[in-house]
Amino acid sequence: MEAPRTESGTQAVLREDVIESAVRFLMDPKVNSSTLAKKVSFLESKGLTNAEIEDALARAKNTPHASESNTTGTSATTGPGYGYAQAMRPPAPARPALDWKDFFIAAVVAGGLGYGLILMVKKYVGPLLMARDDVKRLEEEKKQQTEQNELTRKQLQMLSESTTRILDTMAE
């Protein structure tokens, strides 16, 4: 037979919940790095008595941490409800908003790179592609120069003959 609950019995059950909540708070990995004074002052601000705080600290010290109690071979990233801590990554930083300056800078850089690429193609790749035409062009220029030399030689010969005739005419 269960004894009827009194006001103090209900309060003891409620305080047990508060102590368990305090133990969970003390077991939190984020709280572990805090000093004992900060932990105690926080628990006092939540309305715990000194006896309850001491009880919670003792239970937290005696309760194995999630990483120590992981003896079954399962990973520590198991979901909540299994008594294991879940490894959480910090959220990714938000991408900064892009404004017109960013687009302007991108356009200037892209334009500069494009212009540089065009100049390099004209200076280095273009002559390599034109090298095939150089042989034909050189042969044509050589033929034109030979014809020009032949014409100049004929004109010099004619000039020499004219000069000789003039000198012969004067000598007579």
Side-chain angles (χ1 to χ4, degrees):
M1 293 192 161
E2 192 174 293
R5 285 193 172 177
T6 62
E7 186 66 33
S8 64
T10 305
Q11 186 176 8
V13 171
L14 288 177
R15 295 315 256 168
E16 184 64 30
D17 290 342
V18 171
I19 293 172
E20 287 179 12
S21 175
V23 169
R24 282 194 305 272
F25 166 74
L26 292 169
M27 300 279 298
D28 191 333
K30 294 177 184 175
V31 176
N32 276 340
S33 61
S34 299
T35 63
L36 182 62
K38 285 184 180 180
K39 294 175 190 177
V40 170
S41 67
F42 178 79
L43 293 174
E44 285 175 347
S45 72
K46 293 300 177 184
L48 275 77
T49 63
N50 285 338
E52 291 169 339
I53 293 173
E54 289 175 9
D55 189 28
L57 286 171
R59 288 185 192 183
K61 187 180 268 187
N62 292 335
T63 305
H65 295 305
S67 60
E68 295 171 357
S69 66
N70 189 9
T71 58
T72 59
T74 58
S75 70
T77 58
T78 309
Y82 294 108
Y84 299 114
Q86 184 171 4
M88 295 180 63
R89 285 191 232 153
R95 286 184 54 187
L98 300 175
D99 59 351
W100 67 271
K101 293 177 211 170
D102 298 323
F103 291 113
F104 179 75
I105 291 170
V108 168
V109 169
L113 289 175
Y115 182 72
L117 182 65
I118 289 172
L119 286 180
M120 289 196 49
V121 166
K122 282 183 179 178
K123 187 172 183 176
Y124 298 108
V125 178
L128 291 176
L129 296 176
M130 297 302 219
R132 296 178 187 159
D133 295 335
D134 284 347
V135 174
K136 292 178 185 175
R137 187 172 44 90
L138 285 175
E139 287 177 6
E140 288 177 16
E141 287 178 4
K142 185 178 178 183
K143 183 180 175 185
Q144 287 176 354
Q145 191 170 6
T146 306
E147 289 174 358
Q148 192 69 31
N149 285 343
E150 186 65 33
L151 181 64
T152 305
R153 190 182 60 77
K154 285 182 182 178
Q155 287 177 350
L156 283 175
Q157 188 178 14
M158 285 176 46
L159 185 61
S160 175
E161 289 174 3
S162 300
T163 306
T164 309
R165 268 188 277 142
I166 291 175
L167 283 175
D168 286 341
T169 311
M170 289 175 113
E172 289 178 7

